[in-house]
């Protein structure tokens, strides 16, 4: 999902209500440490797989650190995204926080010297062995803040990827088989349109819309294409075959009624709710929805990987980062350790998350097994292609605004691609 996919958790996170104070010990390598408080921020919904696993991690920390108080504050994605630089430069910085991975986010903060170098801890505590090569790409950043090499500045304890969620009951009602190929997927959407049903849940005001488009591009791309775009190993051409196909197809889908032009102002939460309410039979989005759908869906649903594509959006999950000015760093390291323990990883897996260090035999939920099996399939074929907004700071807003224009028809595909090229070339580092 995109750097902004966590926007959907802001409302849910607010349900946790401000700060939860729990008793929980440890030391710190910070001179101003008191060793008695762990200040923790994250923005996961309480009924998401990660939210449930991290609440359990707090309890585990409490049991093993009886003299320490955990001061947890639920934050919205937007809140952290917009204020991180200011907060991390102040005395209000937490000891540990969830932050988005990628060059434009964690990479930028590492380049600015706002994050703690975790390389020594990652080696000492065995995180380098627990986290696979593909997942750790977003943990390490070079001196320019580019992911993939350099020092450890963040630790993921889950992975994520995108997939097609579909309402099995609606497919059965209209006698539409589960698509096995891309042509079968479009044929299924044609049948829903014929029944006056808009097949794809969408949100133009946030990440879902441009993730549909990026997936279309990925279906015509390869690893070298991804590396050029995401890691600056070459100069991307936004008028190449992949991008042109994606923009043309997206615009065509709007005309065909697969995507509603009225979804321009919708947010990610709206798209998820549309699927949950049975209004839209298909949603292409990420594993971050999985636990919530398990918890809230009142119909039978399933998933499949985007057909006829070796690549899809995905990566290691959001990162635990330790601000440079954190007062109790050792406590933060201990908490990260707990989230990577088999107990918490197994819980994460059974609640609909994609754990990075679980015991496969301990995952008993059938849907969770499918989720993890699909991730393993992607991992084997090196299929995680990150997210379209990662390469440069501010590109998320460009993608949102320009993709909205495709939805409304106020911009043609060629003009759309021109705008992306201009924004990318303006701010991408020259390497």
């Amino acid at each position: 999902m995109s750097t902004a996919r966590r926007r959907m958790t802001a409302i849910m996170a607010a349900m946790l209500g401000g700060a939860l104070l729990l008793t929980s010990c440890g030391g710190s390598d910070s001179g101003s440490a008191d060793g008695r408080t762990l200040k923790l921020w994250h923005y996961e919904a309480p009924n998401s797989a990660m939210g449930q696993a991290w609440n359990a991690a707090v309890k585990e920390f409490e049991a093993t650190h009886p003299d320490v108080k955990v001061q947890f504050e639920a934050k919205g994605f937007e809140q952290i995204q917009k204020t991180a630089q200011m907060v991390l430069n102040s005395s209000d910085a937490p000891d540990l926080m969830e932050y988005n991975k990628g060059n434009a986010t964690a990479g930028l903060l590492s380049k600015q010297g706002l994050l703690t170098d975790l390389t020594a801890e990652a080696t000492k505590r065995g995180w380098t062995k627990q986290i696979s090569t593909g997942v750790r790409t977003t943990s390490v950043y070079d001196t320019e803040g580019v992911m993939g090499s350099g020092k450890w500045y963040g630790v993921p304890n889950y992975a994520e990827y995108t997939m097609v969620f579909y309402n099995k009951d609606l497919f059965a009602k209209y006698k539409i088989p589960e698509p096995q190929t891309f042509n079968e997927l479009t044929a299924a959407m044609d049948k829903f349109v014929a029944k006056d049903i808009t097949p794809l849940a969408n949100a133009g005001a946030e990440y879902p819309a441009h993730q549909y488009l990026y997936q279309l591009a990925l279906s015509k791309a390869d690893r070298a294409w991804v590396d050029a775009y995401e890691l600056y190993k070459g100069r991307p051409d936004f008028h190449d075959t992949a991008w042109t196909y994606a923009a043309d197809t997206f615009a065509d889908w709007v005309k065909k009624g697969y995507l509603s032009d009225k979804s321009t102002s919708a947010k990610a939460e709206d798209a998820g709710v549309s699927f949950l309410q049975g209004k839209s039979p298909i949603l292409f989005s990420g594993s971050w929805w999985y636990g919530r759908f398990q918890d809230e869906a009142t119909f039978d649903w399933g998933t499949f990987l985007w057909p006829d594509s070796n690549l899809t959006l995905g990566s290691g999950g959001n990162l635990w980062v330790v601000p440079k000015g954190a007062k109790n760093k050792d406590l933060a390291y201990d908490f990260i350790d707990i989230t990577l323990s088999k107990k918490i990883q197994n819980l994460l897996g059974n609640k609909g998350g994609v754990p990075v260090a679980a015991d496969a035999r301990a995952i008993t939920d059938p849907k969770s097994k499918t989720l993890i099996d699909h991730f393993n399939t992607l991992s084997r074929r090196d299929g995680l292609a990150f997210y379209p907004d990662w390469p440069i700071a501010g590109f998320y807003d460009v993608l949102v605004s320009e993709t909205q224009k495709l939805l409304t028809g106020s911009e043609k595909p060629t003009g759309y691609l021109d705008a992306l090229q201009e924004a990318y070339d303006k701010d991408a580092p020259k390497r």
Side-chain angles (χ1 to χ4, degrees):
M1 162 192 62
S2 85
T3 57
R5 59 94 175 165
R6 303 288 187 198
R7 287 170 169 78
M8 73 179 183
T9 68
I11 295 174
M12 296 298 293
M15 293 169 56
L16 293 176
L20 302 177
L21 299 182
L22 301 172
T23 55
S24 273
C25 130
S28 176
D29 58 6
S30 175
S32 57
D34 60 17
R36 300 177 63 84
T37 305
L38 174 67
K39 189 175 181 181
L40 169 67
W41 291 1
H42 75 68
Y43 42 80
E44 298 297 339
N47 67 340
S48 70
M50 286 70 73
Q52 293 180 73
W54 296 351
N55 285 341
V58 168
K59 293 179 181 178
E60 186 74 13
F61 187 93
E62 175 184 16
T64 56
H65 298 70
D67 299 322
V68 176
K69 181 167 62 178
V70 177
Q71 183 181 344
F72 166 60
E73 295 185 30
K75 302 290 184 179
F77 174 86
E78 289 280 11
Q79 184 180 11
I80 291 181
Q81 189 81 339
K82 291 181 177 180
T83 64
Q85 290 173 313
M86 179 179 65
V87 170
L88 298 188
N89 264 317
S90 74
S91 60
D92 294 327
D95 299 306
L96 181 66
M97 64 184 280
E98 178 186 13
Y99 198 64
N100 205 23
K101 66 277 178 193
N103 303 335
T105 46
L108 180 62
L109 294 190
S110 70
K111 180 181 177 181
Q112 293 172 335
L114 297 175
L115 301 181
T116 300
D117 176 1
L118 303 176
T119 307
E121 289 295 326
T123 302
K124 181 175 72 174
R125 293 174 181 258
W127 303 337
T128 56
K129 295 179 180 178
Q130 287 177 283
I131 299 171
S132 66
T133 302
V135 173
R136 79 175 63 162
T137 298
T138 56
S139 295
V140 294
Y141 297 86
D142 65 18
T143 55
E144 295 300 314
V146 178
M147 64 184 181
S149 64
K151 298 178 179 179
W152 283 67
Y153 285 101
V155 181
N157 48 37
Y158 69 99
E160 60 185 37
Y161 67 96
T162 51
M163 69 202 80
V164 179
F165 295 88
Y166 72 106
N167 184 323
K168 288 188 174 183
D169 289 351
L170 282 178
F171 271 70
K173 178 180 179 179
Y174 294 105
K175 298 180 174 56
I176 300 173
E178 176 187 329
Q180 303 294 318
T181 66
F182 183 74
N183 286 339
E184 290 176 2
L185 174 61
T186 56
M189 293 194 290
D190 284 332
K191 291 178 181 178
F192 280 118
V193 169
K195 300 293 183 180
D196 293 322
I197 297 171
T198 302
L200 298 176
N202 185 43
E206 292 186 342
Y207 65 84
H210 63 247
Q211 290 193 355
Y212 278 109
L213 196 145
Y214 187 56
Q215 178 58 65
L216 287 167
L218 290 176
S219 69
K220 302 297 182 181
D222 57 18
R223 177 54 59 184
W225 185 95
V226 174
D227 288 348
Y229 176 66
E230 298 280 1
L231 303 179
Y232 318 123
K233 295 180 179 179
R235 181 183 181 275
D237 176 6
F238 284 85
H239 288 278
D240 66 11
T241 299
W243 280 113
T244 301
Y245 166 79
D248 287 344
T249 301
F250 187 91
D252 185 53
W253 281 11
V254 176
K255 293 178 182 177
K256 288 181 175 179
Y258 298 174
L259 293 157
S260 172
D261 56 6
K262 295 181 176 61
S263 64
T264 307
S265 60
K267 296 189 175 183
E269 177 72 10
D270 300 320
V273 169
S274 178
F275 180 76
L276 277 171
Q277 293 178 342
K279 295 179 180 178
S280 302
I282 302 169
L283 169 67
F284 173 70
S285 198
S287 50
W288 49 88
W289 289 102
Y290 214 89
R292 183 172 174 185
F293 290 169
Q294 284 180 307
D295 187 49
E296 297 182 24
T298 58
F299 53 84
D300 191 16
W301 57 277
T303 64
F304 54 89
L305 296 174
W306 191 272
D308 299 334
S309 178
N310 287 326
L311 298 168
T312 196
L313 296 79
S315 69
N318 281 335
L319 304 172
W320 288 125
V321 299
V322 179
K324 190 71 171 179
K327 297 180 177 64
N328 292 287
K329 294 183 179 181
D330 283 347
L331 296 181
Y333 306 150
D334 288 350
F335 188 85
I336 294 172
D337 244 358
I338 289 173
T339 65
L340 286 169
S341 68
K342 283 288 188 287
K343 178 179 179 179
I344 301 302
Q345 286 286 296
N346 293 344
L347 173 64
L348 176 66
N350 278 307
K351 293 298 183 180
V354 184
V356 297
D359 180 352
R361 296 167 298 181
I363 309 303
T364 57
D365 178 82
K367 273 189 166 57
S368 295
K369 281 183 173 293
T370 298
L371 177 73
I372 295 169
D373 286 345
H374 285 170
F375 178 75
N376 290 337
T377 296
L378 288 170
S379 295
R380 284 193 294 270
R381 67 190 191 202
D382 191 23
L384 298 179
F386 313 123
Y387 295 93
D389 55 306
W390 279 13
I392 55 174
F395 205 47
Y396 176 85
D397 293 331
V398 174
L399 287 165
V400 168
S401 63
E402 294 301 325
T403 307
Q404 284 178 316
K405 294 175 185 177
L406 280 185
L407 275 172
T408 62
S410 62
E411 183 67 272
K412 300 298 183 184
T414 298
Y416 172 82
L417 297 174
D418 286 342
L420 297 193
Q421 187 81 64
E422 181 180 358
Y424 187 98
D425 289 347
K426 178 182 176 182
D427 292 321
K430 305 299 184 289
R431 295 170 70 85

